[in-house]
């Protein structure tokens, strides 16, 4: 299903999330199962399915990483079940540095300072990756989409690092 069509958006990485939320509420009202309470069982089932599609579409388009994956999927690049790894040597070296920094927090005398520094580093790198991803997705050609897929892989890794850092910070607060 093309969620951009469902929400009446031109397929694009950069969308108005306020307008998305507005259209989501409108679609929810139109397809909500309660509206079909007196209809046939088939109509009720269809309403439940449409509601699920609207919910999934909203959450897909609302989150930039999922939105990018959906755009790539529409362009023929499906990342959902892949096992391809990032081959960017500079990124892999940075990844190793970040992993070491995460380990160092556990033995630090000032862990909060290191945590804050890593949050800043992750945020800056994510911002750069999202900017590059947005540019690549605007190009809409096969080579650009393959490069965009690499950016998505990097951003997924960044999300995992962010989660690990949050877990470390939470453990320090306990």
């Amino acid at each position: 299903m093309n969620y951009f069509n469902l929400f009446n958006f031109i397929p694009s990485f950069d969308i108005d999330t306020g307008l998305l939320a507005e259209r989501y509420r409108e679609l929810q009202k139109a397809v909500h199962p309660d509206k079909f309470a007196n209809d046939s069982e088939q109509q009720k089932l269809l309403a439940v399915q449409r509601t699920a599609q609207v919910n999934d579409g909203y959450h897909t388009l609302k989150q930039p990483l999922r939105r990018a994956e959906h755009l790539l999927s529409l362009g023929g690049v499906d990342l959902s079940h892949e096992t391809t790894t990032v081959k960017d040597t500079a990124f892999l070296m940075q990844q190793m540095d970040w992993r070491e920094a995460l380990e160092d927090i556990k033995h630090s005398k000032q862990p909060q300072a290191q945590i804050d520094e890593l949050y800043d580093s992750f945020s800056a790198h994510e911002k750069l990756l999202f900017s590059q991803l947005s540019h690549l997705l605007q190009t809409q050609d096969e080579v650009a989409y393959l490069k965009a897929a690499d950016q998505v892989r990097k951003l997924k890794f960044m999300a995992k690092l962010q989660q690990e850092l949050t877990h470390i910070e939470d453990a320090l607060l306990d």
Side-chain angles (χ1 to χ4, degrees):
M1 159 154 276
N2 183 331
Y3 294 132
F4 292 98
N5 288 346
L6 178 65
F7 284 87
N8 199 23
F9 278 105
I10 294 171
S12 172
F13 182 68
D14 300 312
I15 63 169
D16 181 341
T17 54
L19 184 57
L20 174 66
E22 185 180 310
R23 290 181 180 169
Y24 170 68
R25 287 188 296 277
E26 291 169 3
L27 283 169
Q28 278 296 77
K29 286 179 189 174
V31 300
H32 196 279
D34 289 349
K35 201 171 181 183
F36 301 90
N38 296 326
D39 288 1
S40 69
E41 289 303 313
Q42 184 179 5
Q43 285 296 93
K44 290 178 191 176
L45 180 61
L46 282 172
V48 169
Q49 289 172 341
R50 284 184 292 224
T51 298
Q53 286 176 332
V54 168
N55 287 335
D56 191 42
Y58 174 70
H59 292 291
T60 297
L61 296 182
K62 181 181 170 188
Q63 299 172 18
L65 201 50
R66 287 183 63 186
R67 185 180 331 127
E69 285 185 276
H70 185 58
L71 266 172
L72 288 170
S73 173
L74 294 173
V77 180
D78 187 10
L79 298 173
S80 59
H81 301 291
E82 73 161 20
T83 56
T84 304
T85 59
V86 174
K87 293 174 180 65
D88 179 343
T89 308
F91 183 77
L92 293 173
M93 294 303 288
Q94 179 64 61
Q95 174 183 338
M96 287 175 31
D97 290 345
W98 281 325
R99 289 239 174 254
E100 286 175 17
L102 286 171
E103 278 299 312
D104 291 346
I105 291 172
K106 297 171 187 171
H107 311 291
S108 174
K109 291 181 180 160
Q110 294 185 332
Q112 193 59 53
Q114 284 183 285
I115 289 170
D116 293 343
E117 189 177 307
L118 277 174
Y119 275 128
D120 290 345
S121 178
F122 292 170
S123 177
H125 203 79
E126 261 185 351
K127 193 177 215 177
L128 175 65
L129 290 173
F130 271 118
S131 174
Q132 292 169 346
L133 177 62
S134 176
H135 176 72
L136 289 165
L137 289 172
Q138 287 173 5
T139 307
Q140 294 184 353
D141 68 34
E142 187 177 343
V143 173
Y145 270 29
L146 292 174
K147 289 179 181 178
D150 279 341
Q151 297 302 93
V152 168
R153 289 180 195 102
K154 290 175 185 178
L155 285 161
K156 283 182 172 185
F157 176 77
M158 296 296 304
K160 288 178 188 174
L161 278 178
Q162 192 89 344
Q163 285 178 333
E164 287 178 43
L165 183 56
T166 300
H167 288 300
I168 290 169
E169 184 176 36
D170 290 345
L172 287 172
L173 296 174
D174 288 343

